Every structure is written in structure tokens, then in C-alpha cells.
Amino acid sequence: MALITWQDSYSVGVELIDSDHQLLVSLINQLDDAMKEGGGRDTVGSVLNVLLEYTETHFGREELLMEKAGYPELPPHRREHEKLTTQVRQIVDRFNGGDASSLDAEVLDFLKTWLTGHILGVDRKYAPFVKDLTLTPEELLASMNLDLGDLDGSADDEDSFADQLAKSN
Ligand SMILES: [Fe+2]
Ligand SMILES: [Fe+2]
């Protein structure tokens, strides 16, 4: 059985955010499955790394939306994100550092609690402020924090891919 079952009550009423949250739920469930099935280090490790990356992407998107909306509670929300990111990064670092036993049911339970707790708590509060806003493709890309390197081969161009896209429009 899945560790977390998506419930209607988790919806914050903003499509982009709901699909991000569903993806995070799915990643935590995949991590749980991989561990229960005795998935190899590589499988568990890659799900963990994707979880960390997507967590950062998602938090970046939320912060951008809250910024656009002029949401007054952005600073404490951002601090909450920073705290959660640090906690997830510590879990990933411990695992990547060779301590596979550090990833246990307790950690999975922690991940479940932070995600559902954060969604039902603070995410719910900003939702009404941002529900009519959207992110442009450039903003979505920027939130993904992609390091696509040097796409056009010019060594002196330090613009990010998102910057380059924004300029080309
Ligand atoms: Fe969220
Ligand atoms: Fe959030």
C-alpha cells in the first residue's frame, strides 16, 4: 500500500501547485516502495536525489507565485522552505555518503509528515492569493534551477538557459 494516498483535502485549488504536490507524493511513495522491495542503492539513491531536486523546484515556484502576488507571509513561508530543504538535503547527504541504514521507516514517516503538514498548513494559506496567477515558461524553467551547461558552445556566455530564453523573446 502506498505510504501517502492523495486526498481531495490536499488540493490547494491551484492546478500547478496541486500537480507539483502530487508528484512529490508520488516520489515519496516510490522511495517507500523501493526501500520495501529492497531496491538497490542506485534505485533508492536516484529517487532520493530527484526528490531533493523537485522539492527545490517546487519551493522555487511557490515563492515566485507568492512574490508575484505580493503575499505578505512570504518571508516566514520561505524560511519554512529553507528548513525543509536543509532537512531533506541532510537525509540525501547521509545516504549518498554511504550510510544506507540512515534511510529507514522513521525518515519516510518524517517525509510524509512534512509534505502533508506543509501542504495542509502554510500552503493552504497562500493559495487564495495566487489562484489567478500563472508562471511564464521562462519562470517555470528558472524555478527548475537547471544546469544545462553551455548549450551553444560559447564559453564566455554565462547566462542561464532561462535567461537566454527570456532574452530571445
Ligand atoms: Fe508546496
Ligand atoms: Fe510551501
Side-chain angles (χ1 to χ4, degrees):
M1 211 187 107
L3 182 71
I4 311 175
T5 307
W6 181 264
Q7 292 166 35
D8 289 346
S9 65
Y10 292 166
S11 170
V12 298
V14 182
E15 211 178 318
L16 171 73
I17 299 301
D18 281 347
S19 47
D20 267 4
H21 287 159
Q22 280 166 341
L23 202 134
L24 288 168
V25 162
S26 159
L27 284 170
I28 294 176
N29 284 336
Q30 281 179 48
L31 189 61
D32 184 54
D33 286 345
M35 281 168 55
K36 282 183 186 150
E37 290 159 10
R41 230 198 116 65
D42 288 355
T43 315
V44 175
S46 52
V47 181
L48 253 187
N49 284 302
V50 174
L51 176 66
L52 175 61
E53 279 190 20
Y54 207 79
T55 298
E56 293 182 300
T57 294
H58 168 64
F59 287 169
R61 286 177 175 177
E62 283 192 345
E63 288 168 20
L64 217 53
L65 277 172
M66 288 186 266
E67 232 170 80
K68 278 178 121 173
Y71 180 58
E73 297 297 307
L74 173 58
H77 199 130
R78 205 193 288 275
R79 281 197 292 278
E80 184 74 14
H81 283 170
E82 281 162 7
K83 199 173 106 194
L84 292 173
T85 307
T86 304
Q87 287 170 317
V88 177
R89 187 173 290 117
Q90 281 167 352
I91 292 170
V92 175
D93 284 349
R94 268 204 304 272
F95 182 85
N96 286 343
D99 185 5
S101 65
S102 64
L103 194 63
D104 54 16
E106 208 175 306
V107 169
L108 263 293
D109 208 54
F110 161 77
L111 291 172
K112 175 183 173 171
T113 309
W114 82 244
L115 182 59
T116 51
H118 187 82
I119 294 174
L120 293 169
V122 290
D123 280 357
R124 210 164 253 296
K125 289 196 202 151
Y126 79 71
F129 290 80
V130 309
K131 67 175 179 7
D132 297 323
L133 297 174
T134 48
L135 292 180
T136 64
E138 291 78 19
E139 287 169 333
L140 283 171
L141 262 178
S143 73
M144 292 172 83
N145 206 10
L146 292 176
D147 182 12
L148 297 179
D150 189 6
L151 288 179
D152 62 2
S154 60
D156 55 355
D157 189 350
E158 292 189 352
D159 284 353
S160 70
F161 180 59
D163 286 340
Q164 292 175 34
L165 242 188
K167 277 182 192 167
S168 69
N169 283 333

